[in-house]
Amino acid sequence: RVDTLCVDKTGTITDGNLAVRKVVPLQASYLDGDIAQAVSNVIWATKDKNATATALMKYVDLELSAGVVTALPFSSDNKYSGATFKGGKTFIIGAPEFMPINNKAGVIKRCEEFTKDGYRVLILGEGKDAIVDNKYKGQLEAIALIVIKDHIREDALETFKWFANNGVDIKVISGDNAQTVSSIAYEAGIANAVN
């Protein structure tokens, strides 16, 4: 008899479909078009095909506009992807907690405005150092927040209600932002999802 079921957020509560809801510029010198081009360039350079990259390309979908010096595809070790381009700029997209960004505490506080409502937030960062040995060792200036929503599975509420009615506790274990996971679990009807 099972009394506790541990589940992951992605693929269990959510179906893996992501959608960019908004992009929030953080630097006055960067217009929406500049941000879209930088995001597009990173995706083209890295050739990432994961769900996040697919959602980003649906939102921006521009051609590569700069020569690529070094590309860093997404990896779960780094929690970011990026590329160094001809002209000396490096752009990185990833989870703010894992990125070497200036004013990290302030940027994460801005992200919390969205994570508390169940959104994932990525940062577009710009740096002057090159990617070397699959790492970015310099500091980044946060250029924009990229706010993404996970789609909850159509049958999630009914499924988790059935488990609750049959005395099975649900525990969510995820590597994603804890606040985001908590909100998604709450939307899916999982008991004690929000503390």
Side-chain angles (χ1 to χ4, degrees), residues 35-45 57 60-64 93:
I35 294 167
Q37 189 63 67
V39 170
S40 232
N41 283 351
V42 168
I43 303 303
W44 280 109
M57 283 307 273
V60 295
D61 197 20
L62 300 170
E63 293 296 321
L64 182 66
I93 301 170

Side-chain angles (χ1 to χ4, degrees), residues 1 4 12-14 28 31 38 42 62 71 83 102-103 106 111 113 121 123 134 141 163 179 184 191:
R1 177 171 167 78
T4 304
T12 306
I13 301 173
T14 61
L31 303 174
V42 168
L62 300 170
N102 293 323
N103 187 23
C111 294
E113 296 171 23
V121 181
I123 297 293
N134 291 323
E141 199 62 49
F163 281 117
Q179 204 171 27
I184 292 279

Side-chain angles (χ1 to χ4, degrees), residues 22-24 26 107 110-111 114 121-123 143-147:
K22 64 167 36 181
V23 174
V24 180
L26 297 175
V107 172
R110 286 290 308 271
C111 294
F114 301 99
V121 181
L122 301 178
I123 297 293
I143 302 302
L145 307 181
I146 303 167
V147 181

Side-chain angles (χ1 to χ4, degrees), residues 119-139:
Y119 292 101
R120 286 179 56 206
V121 181
L122 301 178
I123 297 293
L124 170 65
E126 178 191 358
K128 295 180 179 141
D129 298 295
I131 293 167
V132 178
D133 297 329
N134 291 323
K135 289 278 183 195
Y136 183 76
K137 299 189 185 201
Q139 282 296 114

